[in-house]
């Protein structure tokens, strides 16, 4: 550091330059004006924790979509092609002791779960064309078709709730929990950013006060020196003035170090990455006005409002609801399984004589 030395008796004292400012490590000469709103906006845009919560919410929403998949219509096509060569012991059934049959089937099956009372509907449409060398078959080739409709209705177990419907309800609650977690993360980031911002404002004010204290101590040292030269005070007073100056300089350096530390804490919240140019800039807060005093409110009313707005309590409520759904499902599985099954089928036959 730059200093000039003077000799007073046997005491050698450094006198610091009036405009000397300690160099801050890692901070360049560029000053970046930053308001509280801009700091919060940068934090919400660049915070990785918030992005994780957004991904968790998107995952929960996709799981809810997947949980509804049991209501999707399932269509199954089952073609079949067979060529049978069956040995026989009678020439009346097959020429040369062999029965040859060719079968071609085109079957379609439709399954649909209904959202009411656990009902399930199924539709089967089967078509078969078969030719044979059996001379006793009057229709050759012949075609058979059948159309069947089945309705399955649980009467006890799985009527009010089953695993699929319970999964839908649980997934919906998980989406609510993820949304609340995202809101909590936003609130936390805003709170931390505001605290870091105002801590930096306070630290800069503290550094300014410490700098003024150093300036006053220098002025006092100069006055003491002039009084010693005029014989008004004893030379020993110069040591006390110099010690006070050194103490205040040490306090000033500590305040500047606190500014750097709190500035880095704010940058950690608002910087996009470690390569962000803001790490080399000096942040100059512009929102330095005093905050308005809080509105007075009655304690019972304030507690009531706080309980109504706490996202953590809502999260606990959603988790409790999930536990109740799982409990309801477990109790339902203790019931005997009795189903009402109704079906209707119509068949047709055609062929060449």
């Amino acid at each position: 550091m730059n200093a000039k030395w003077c000799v007073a008796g046997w005491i050698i004292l450094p006198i610091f330059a009036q405009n000397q400012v300690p160099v801050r490590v890692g901070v360049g000469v560029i000053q970046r004006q930053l308001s509280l709103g801009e700091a919060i906006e940068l934090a919400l845009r660049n915070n990785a924790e918030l992005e994780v919560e957004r991904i968790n919410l998107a995952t929960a929403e996709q799981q809810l979509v997947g949980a509804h998949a049991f209501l999707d219509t399932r269509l199954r096509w089952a073609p079949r092609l067979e060529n049978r060569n069956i040995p026989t012991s009678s020439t009346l059934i097959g020429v040369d002791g062999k029965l040859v049959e060719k079968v071609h089937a085109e079957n379609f099956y439709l399954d649909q779960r209904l959202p009411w009372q656990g009902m399930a509907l199924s539709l089967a449409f089967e078509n078969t064309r078969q030719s044979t060398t059996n001379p006793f078959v009057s229709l050759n080739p012949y075609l058979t078709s059948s159309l069947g409709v089945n309705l399955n209705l649980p009467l006890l177990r799985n009527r009010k709730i089953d695993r699929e419907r319970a999964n839908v309800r649980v997934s919906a609650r998980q989406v609510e929990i993820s949304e609340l977690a995202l809101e909590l993360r936003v609130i936390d980031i805003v709170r931390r950013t505001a605290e870091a911002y105002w801590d930096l404002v306070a630290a800069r004010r503290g550094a300014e006060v410490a700098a003024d204290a150093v300036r006053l101590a220098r002025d006092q040292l100069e006055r003491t020196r002039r009084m010693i030269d005029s014989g008004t005070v004893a030379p020993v007073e110069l040591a006390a003035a110099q010690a006070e100056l050194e103490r205040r300089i040490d306090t000033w350096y500590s305040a500047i170090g606190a500014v750097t530390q709190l500035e880095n804490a704010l940058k950690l919240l608002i910087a996009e990455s470690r390569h962000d140019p803001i790490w080399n800039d000096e942040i100059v807060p512009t929102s330095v006005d005093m905050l308005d005093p809080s509105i007075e409110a009655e304690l019972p009313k304030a507690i009531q409002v706080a309980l109504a707005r706490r996202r953590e309590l809502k999260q606990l409520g959603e988790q409790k609801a999930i536990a109740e759904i799982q409990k309801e499902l477990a109790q339902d599985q203790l019931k005997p399984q009795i189903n009402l099954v109704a079906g209707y089928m119509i068949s047709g036959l055609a062929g060449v004589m």
Side-chain angles (χ1 to χ4, degrees):
M1 59 181 66
N2 296 327
K4 61 180 180 178
W5 299 81
C6 68
V7 180
W10 294 99
I11 303 176
I12 302 178
L13 303 172
I15 303 175
F16 292 86
Q18 296 294 327
N19 297 325
Q20 179 183 357
V21 178
V23 178
R24 297 173 57 192
V25 178
V27 180
V29 298
I30 299 177
Q31 292 185 342
R32 179 162 181 170
Q33 308 287 331
L34 188 68
S35 65
L36 178 59
E38 292 172 342
I40 293 176
E41 181 180 355
L42 289 173
L44 293 177
R45 185 170 66 240
N46 299 328
N47 192 276
E49 299 174 358
L50 192 60
E51 187 63 26
V52 171
E53 295 298 340
R54 292 193 184 100
I55 294 175
N56 291 338
L57 176 58
T59 302
E61 291 174 345
Q62 292 302 316
Q63 289 176 348
L64 178 59
V65 173
H68 283 94
F70 81 100
L71 293 173
D72 293 344
T73 302
R74 290 173 291 177
L75 177 63
R76 183 165 57 93
W77 172 44
R80 188 174 84 255
L81 184 64
E82 298 182 14
N83 190 359
R84 305 171 184 169
N85 294 316
I86 305 172
T88 65
S89 59
S90 174
T91 58
L92 297 177
I93 299 177
V95 180
D96 300 330
K98 182 174 65 173
L99 175 64
V100 179
E101 294 182 342
K102 296 182 179 180
V103 180
H104 180 203
E106 296 287 344
N107 301 327
F108 298 89
Y109 303 94
L110 182 69
D111 296 321
Q112 177 66 59
R113 284 289 304 272
L114 302 177
W116 309 287
Q117 304 296 321
M119 289 188 294
L121 181 67
S122 61
L123 176 67
F125 183 45
E126 298 180 345
N127 298 275
T128 304
R129 182 185 186 278
Q130 184 171 346
S131 61
T132 179
T133 59
N134 190 340
F136 294 98
V137 176
S138 59
L139 297 177
N140 191 19
Y142 65 92
L143 293 87
T144 59
S145 299
S146 64
L147 177 64
V149 179
N150 290 308
L151 179 66
N152 191 327
L153 173 63
L155 298 179
L156 292 178
R157 184 194 299 179
N158 296 331
R159 182 170 184 177
K160 291 185 178 180
I161 188 173
D162 53 24
R163 298 187 184 277
E164 290 79 11
R165 284 179 287 170
N167 189 28
V168 170
R169 292 166 60 183
V170 170
S171 298
R173 297 289 183 176
Q174 291 290 355
V175 171
E176 295 293 334
I177 291 177
S178 298
E179 290 178 351
L180 292 172
L182 178 60
E183 293 178 8
L184 282 173
R185 184 61 63 186
V186 170
I187 293 173
D188 181 64
I189 292 173
V190 172
R191 176 189 60 81
R192 287 158 52 192
T193 305
E195 289 181 354
Y197 187 90
W198 291 116
D199 288 343
L200 177 59
V201 172
R204 290 177 64 90
R205 291 285 181 88
E208 293 174 0
V209 172
D212 291 339
V214 170
R215 179 180 57 79
L216 294 175
R218 288 196 181 111
D219 294 342
Q220 181 62 35
L221 179 62
E222 293 297 330
R223 286 194 297 269
T224 302
R225 182 177 293 108
R226 289 193 297 268
M227 295 175 68
I228 291 174
D229 293 340
S230 63
T232 306
V233 297
V236 71
E237 295 294 333
L238 186 62
Q242 179 63 30
E244 180 64 19
L245 175 59
E246 292 291 343
R247 186 187 67 81
R248 295 189 180 186
I249 289 176
D250 183 70
T251 302
W252 184 32
Y253 280 17
S254 298
I256 293 176
V259 170
T260 302
Q261 182 179 1
L262 295 173
E263 188 176 84
N264 289 336
L266 179 60
K267 290 177 180 179
L268 186 64
L269 292 171
I270 65 177
E272 182 178 2
S273 65
R274 63 188 181 92
H275 303 291
D276 197 315
I278 197 173
W279 286 104
N280 299 323
D281 299 342
E282 177 185 0
I283 295 180
V284 180
T286 58
S287 302
V288 295
D289 296 334
M290 298 297 294
L291 297 177
D292 296 332
S294 59
I295 301 175
E296 297 183 359
E298 297 180 359
L299 180 59
K301 184 177 180 180
I303 294 176
Q304 184 178 1
V305 172
L307 292 176
R309 294 182 179 180
R310 296 303 298 178
R311 268 66 176 180
E312 298 91 337
L313 297 179
K314 292 183 179 179
Q315 274 188 326
L316 293 176
E318 296 295 337
Q319 293 173 358
K320 181 180 178 181
I322 290 176
E324 292 293 336
I325 294 172
Q326 294 172 344
K327 178 181 177 182
E328 182 183 357
L329 176 62
Q331 290 177 344
D332 185 84
Q333 296 302 304
L334 296 177
K335 300 177 182 179
Q337 184 172 1
I338 302 175
N339 291 9
L340 174 63
V341 180
Y344 176 79
M345 179 176 289
I346 183 172
S347 300
L349 176 64
V352 179
M353 298 188 65

